[in-house]
Amino acid sequence: MVIREKSNSDETSFFKLDNDIWVKNRAVHLPSKGSMRAWACRDAHAPLLVLLPDQRQTRDFIGDAQTLNLFKDRNVEILPEISFAEDDAKIDAEKVQRGDVLARFLDKRGVLAVTPASLLAPFSSGSDYFHLILGEEIGRDRLVQWLEQKGYVRGDLVWSPGQYVSRGSIVDIFSPSDSFPLRLEFFDDELESIRFFLPETQKSLRTLQQASIQSLLGRTESNLSRFMPKDMHIVYFDPKGLDTTAENASWLWGNLDREKQDSVPWRQWDALYDFFAAYPRLRVIQDVNSSHVRTGLRQLPLFKGKFLEVEEFCRNHAEQGYHVEVYSEAERSIEWARANGYAAAEGILTDGFIDINDKKIVVSDLELAGASVPRRGLEHRAPSDWGVGLIPGQWVAHDEYGVARYLGPERVTTLDGEQEYLVLQFAEERRLLIPVMHFYKISPWSPAPGQEPTPDSLKSSHWKKASDKAKENAAKAAQELVTIYAERELTPGFAFAPSKALMKELEDSFIFAETDDQLKAIQAVEEDMERPVPMDRLVVGDVGFGKTEVAIRAAGKAVFSGKQVAIMAPTTLLAQQHYETFSARFASLAVRVEVISRFVSISAQKKDIERFARGESRYPNRYAPPARRRCSVQRPRIGRY
């Protein structure tokens, strides 16, 4: 029998542990996969390589470290994984980008967060650059020719490294050495403007005096050894998870076609693991029984947004000499923290934790609001309305010309230079070129199942007649709706009170930034509820676009006006999810939230239904899937809105 030595340590920094623990690659216990990971690495006195199972965890680690301001002026980066895309240019750009990150790690000796997949994949080095200086005669055509020679791919929009677009005097380029794409404006051959822009919105971020475009044609290699600092330390988070993801990544790459495998060689995980054995390193696990060292970091209780419990917990520990720090995206939480004398700052943390050694409590939105704001991914995205549902060969409808087949984009030489057009094919194989700026006039069109559509003719007036007829029918339908709504206006309803202090507190507890559409929907619903007539409004949106928050605001307005609220959910699981969400949001507002579903015992359901029917609670809320509608309940003081 092997007896494993164990030791408990009050230290909460890996770099304050005995050097022997690093040399022997001991297993160190951390109870959470959250922000305490970054906190435990805070005193790194040498280059630090942090291995995590996936890209989401690398984002969380780096994001938590930045929010907590742990590494000060040190260079902190993520080594991106290489994609399994069929686009060779995209892979070339990713290899160059990865080579730049590794070179900076060797040069600046900071912190590098990696995954097994990002370590195993190849990278490029030795690329050359095209230098841009504002006001110089660069030559647009010379630049475009250089981009073509250096592996860049011309497209319709730029949102991924390795892409470029040339439209008249404007050239957009995404160099792998930059975090954002560049937009260049020329006057003849003179470079008049250089600026970064955001691909998702195409809006400018900031202007530059000079920039450099990196070639995609470098020397492909997979030898990491010369990019690893000699005094580097390594931390393995979740070693079993690392082994699993390494195996999965290698399997996926091994199943690609042989030509791609040969062109992009990968390292072996076992060989890489053996290479790292020469460096001081730690294994961080959650299983306390399998660890050699237990640190002084602890998890916070699962408050699930119960604000009063968080307040009591922090107050009790503050009286014991603990320093409380609050990081939140909600203005209400920041104000609460400062009013109680706690340190507070805006920021996203994965979760909070307790540092026993430093007597510190870190509180996040997960404890205060029951949810945390997700961090955005590493990759940029094309604008959401660009090319949605449109692929070459698909049927579309043009607002003015009718049904046609979409053939894709095409570049045409005009007096203003090359321009992009969208090509539509109508009857008699007649083609129509639509400028990119008129993209909004085209929409996908799906024929009835089993019916092959017939394209409209550019010479015929059939589409115009059909459009006029549709407008006439729409006018009739509108007249019928006007009659219905006129009758509704004469039907008495309940006018809910305008927003007061409690509604303001409910609004401030929302840790996310409301979208414009969300704010419009909330305002419209609240205005409807304040009118003395029944509300008739349907809120429609895709999954994840914030409909639940609209319902929360409406429910709050009702209960704060003395009404009870009943919410029907289509499934038991969704009822439970809404129950947890509403519970977290109303926890600090004296609003009792309950759920009726098969997750709740029959006896508890009966008690809740009886209490609800009697109206004993001032602010009870109910969630029930259709299976529970058989319950016969008198509903006093339900706000019909």
Side-chain angles (χ1 to χ4, degrees), residues 107 124 170 217 275 361 385 424 557:
D107 179 49
S124 295
I170 297 178
L217 304 182
F275 167 72
I361 293 178
D385 60 348
L424 304 184
K557 194 174 188 67

Side-chain angles (χ1 to χ4, degrees), residues 58-219:
T58 60
R59 290 197 303 271
D60 286 342
F61 178 87
I62 296 300
D64 290 337
Q66 292 172 342
T67 299
L68 294 169
N69 193 26
L70 299 181
F71 301 117
K72 303 296 189 292
D73 298 329
R74 302 188 65 183
N75 188 60
V76 181
E77 289 192 83
I78 293 174
L79 180 63
E81 296 181 359
I82 202 166
S83 69
F84 293 90
E86 295 297 327
D87 187 350
D88 291 335
K90 180 178 176 63
I91 293 178
D92 289 338
E94 290 171 343
K95 288 191 295 184
V96 172
Q97 188 179 44
R98 289 162 44 75
D100 290 343
V101 172
L102 290 170
R104 285 194 295 271
F105 180 55
L106 177 63
D107 179 49
K108 298 184 178 181
R109 299 165 49 82
V111 179
L112 183 60
V114 303
T115 66
S118 67
L119 282 176
L120 294 173
F123 54 93
S124 295
S125 61
S127 301
D128 58 331
Y129 292 83
F130 191 107
H131 299 289
L132 305 167
I133 300 178
L134 194 66
E136 288 194 352
E137 291 193 2
I138 302 296
R140 186 189 69 88
D141 293 340
R142 185 167 72 91
L143 172 61
V144 170
Q145 185 179 12
W146 185 90
L147 293 171
E148 292 284 355
Q149 294 173 349
K150 299 303 180 180
Y152 282 79
V153 174
R154 186 167 188 166
D156 304 313
L157 282 179
V158 166
W159 70 85
S160 180
Q163 297 175 333
Y164 85 96
V165 173
S166 177
R167 297 190 185 96
S169 61
I170 297 178
V171 180
D172 293 345
I173 311 168
F174 202 152
S175 171
S177 58
D178 294 325
S179 300
F180 297 94
L182 289 167
R183 177 158 291 163
L184 313 176
E185 291 190 34
F186 289 86
F187 181 75
D188 289 334
D189 286 339
E190 181 181 337
L191 185 56
E192 278 197 325
S193 172
I194 308 174
R195 60 185 185 271
F196 283 127
F197 69 93
L198 190 64
E200 290 88 337
T201 62
Q202 298 289 298
K203 292 182 179 179
S204 298
L205 295 175
R206 62 185 179 94
T207 58
L208 305 170
Q209 294 297 312
Q210 58 184 10
S212 295
I213 309 300
Q214 190 173 15
S215 168
L216 304 186
L217 304 182
R219 182 176 65 256

Side-chain angles (χ1 to χ4, degrees), residues 333-352:
S333 299
I334 299 295
E335 292 176 353
W336 165 81
R338 290 171 178 166
N340 284 276
Y342 306 144
E346 290 187 12
I348 300 173
L349 275 184
T350 307
D351 61 7

Side-chain angles (χ1 to χ4, degrees), residues 423-627:
V423 183
L424 304 184
Q425 181 175 288
F426 288 84
E428 302 174 353
E429 297 187 353
R430 289 180 176 270
R431 303 195 328 157
L432 183 67
L433 302 183
I434 306 298
V436 171
M437 65 282 297
H438 290 170
F439 175 78
Y440 67 92
K441 293 185 178 182
I442 304 171
S443 58
W445 188 75
S446 299
Q451 294 184 6
E452 182 66 17
T454 302
D456 285 306
S457 173
L458 292 174
K459 297 190 242 181
S460 171
S461 61
H462 171 75
W463 177 259
K464 187 177 185 306
K465 291 179 180 178
S467 298
D468 292 342
K469 184 64 175 178
K471 291 177 182 178
E472 181 181 342
N473 292 336
K476 291 180 179 178
Q479 183 59 46
E480 293 176 1
L481 287 174
V482 169
T483 303
I484 293 173
Y485 280 104
E487 295 175 354
R488 181 178 292 277
E489 290 292 323
L490 299 177
T491 303
F494 181 83
F496 292 90
S499 298
K500 296 182 180 179
L502 288 174
M503 274 302 292
K504 181 65 167 60
E505 190 171 345
L506 178 63
E507 294 164 2
D508 291 343
S509 68
F510 188 52
I511 61 174
F512 303 91
E514 297 96 338
T515 64
D516 292 339
D517 290 339
Q518 208 173 16
L519 289 172
K520 290 177 182 177
I522 291 170
Q523 182 179 0
V525 169
E526 291 191 356
E527 289 176 354
D528 285 350
M529 292 176 68
E530 292 174 11
R531 300 181 63 216
V533 294
M535 181 170 69
D536 180 31
R537 182 174 296 276
L538 176 66
V539 178
V540 181
D542 289 337
V543 175
F545 276 64
K547 300 185 298 297
T548 301
E549 183 60 24
V550 180
I552 287 175
R553 303 286 178 93
K557 194 174 188 67
V559 296
F560 300 148
S561 294
K563 296 292 185 179
Q564 295 189 126
V565 177
I567 298 177
M568 302 296 294
T571 65
T572 301
L573 182 59
L574 189 59
Q576 186 67 24
Q577 291 174 343
H578 283 326
Y579 167 68
E580 293 176 356
T581 301
F582 276 68
S583 295
R585 293 296 303 282
F586 286 99
S588 62
L589 295 169
V591 178
R592 193 177 75 243
V593 182
E594 296 168 355
V595 62
I596 300 174
S597 76
R598 61 184 176 85
F599 291 161
V600 180
S601 66
I602 298 297
S603 60
Q605 289 183 42
K606 289 181 178 179
K607 290 181 181 179
D608 287 341
I609 292 172
E610 291 172 358
R611 190 183 304 114
F612 183 60
R614 292 193 299 268
E616 292 180 352
S617 300
R618 185 184 177 195
Y619 300 139
N621 293 263
R622 291 294 191 277
Y623 306 83

